[in-house]
Amino acid sequence: MNFTFKHDPSFTLLHVEMASGERLKAEAGAMVYMSSGMNMETVFGGGIIQALARRLLGGEPLFMNIFTASSGNAVIGLAGRLAGDIKHLKLAGRGVFVQAGSYLCSSPEVTVSPQFGGLRTLIGGEGLFLLKTAGAGDLFISSYGAIIPVEVNGSYRVDTGHIVAFDETLSFSIKRVGGWTSTLLSGEGFVCEFSGSGTVWIQSRVPGGFIKWLTGLLPR
């Protein structure tokens, strides 16, 4: 499998060339185009129970698409839901947690399963489930805005809405910054504090901020 990024970093599109028999699994709705030598199969992601959990509690689609090249030099293009970037992560047995909506696609060797984040993720506004990816293969994550990798060695705080993914070697907790006045008026109330050693991938924009701006322009 060979891949290139086009129109990055603002409107990144993932272009993949696959040999006969190679497979790629992707988020439902991510496919932009594909050649006639590509077959698509729609399946439940990670089993029926896990798929339902993703649909009802994690905000992720109920289905995943499996693309298989039926001939050599088959091509496919994929893109995220929002205008932004796509990054490639090469997993080598390590696990990476991905926020709901930031998983784009991966090679078949990478397992994708919902992970309960506890009440701390509810407080931070990020939902009950993260997606845990693991195995040895290729993982592609998408964002709203640019993706910025941050190496953490100790502790680091990130606004909850800016998190795209993070290494499983990091632990995290949700904390409030400032007083309740700041929380109510400034929009900067909760942050995610990561501890340990690993990488956090953050996005430079927040979908909620764009939605709030857009809502303000709508006629009342």
Side-chain angles (χ1 to χ4, degrees):
M1 181 179 71
N2 297 314
F3 64 88
T4 55
F5 296 121
K6 298 183 177 183
H7 315 297
D8 55 327
S10 299
F11 301 95
T12 309
L13 181 142
L14 173 65
H15 178 86
V16 184
E17 299 178 1
M18 298 164 60
S20 180
E22 287 190 316
R23 305 172 72 203
L24 185 72
K25 57 185 178 182
E27 177 190 39
M31 190 272 290
V32 178
Y33 59 80
M34 64 181 182
S35 66
S36 58
M38 190 74 70
N39 296 326
M40 186 186 78
E41 176 189 8
T42 303
V43 298
F44 282 107
I48 295 178
I49 295 178
Q50 289 189 347
L52 289 174
R54 291 174 64 190
R55 176 67 174 179
L56 298 175
L57 301 176
E60 285 295 284
L62 179 60
F63 301 101
M64 295 185 72
N65 291 328
I66 307 296
F67 297 94
T68 304
S70 59
S71 62
N73 300 319
V75 300
I76 184 172
L78 303 106
R81 302 173 185 174
L82 299 171
D85 208 357
I86 299 173
K87 291 296 184 186
H88 167 245
L89 305 182
K90 188 68 175 181
L91 302 186
R94 64 170 174 162
V96 173
F97 289 100
V98 182
Q99 285 285 10
S102 290
Y103 171 82
L104 182 65
C105 62
S106 60
S107 58
E109 299 83 9
V110 175
T111 60
V112 182
S113 58
Q115 185 78 17
F116 182 65
L119 294 178
R120 54 187 172 173
T121 55
L122 277 181
I123 296 173
E126 299 304 322
L128 275 174
F129 281 89
L130 301 166
L131 299 181
K132 183 177 182 179
T133 62
D138 299 292
L139 169 66
F140 297 89
I141 55 176
S142 63
S143 68
Y144 178 43
I147 297 179
I148 306 164
V150 177
E151 297 298 325
V152 178
N153 187 14
S155 63
Y156 200 83
R157 292 183 175 183
V158 180
D159 181 276
T160 55
H162 285 269
I163 300 167
V164 175
F166 57 93
D167 282 329
E168 68 173 353
T169 54
L170 293 169
S171 59
F172 72 95
S173 60
I174 302 297
K175 294 191 175 182
R176 182 167 57 89
V177 292
W180 284 109
T181 301
S182 298
T183 301
L184 295 174
L185 300 179
S186 72
E188 301 293 342
F190 293 101
V191 297
C192 186
E193 182 169 275
F194 292 96
S195 301
S197 297
T199 304
V200 178
W201 291 268
I202 62 177
Q203 56 189 4
S204 60
R205 296 292 185 269
V206 181
F210 173 69
I211 294 172
K212 183 178 180 180
W213 172 81
L214 188 62
T215 302
L217 299 178
L218 298 176
R220 298 182 181 275

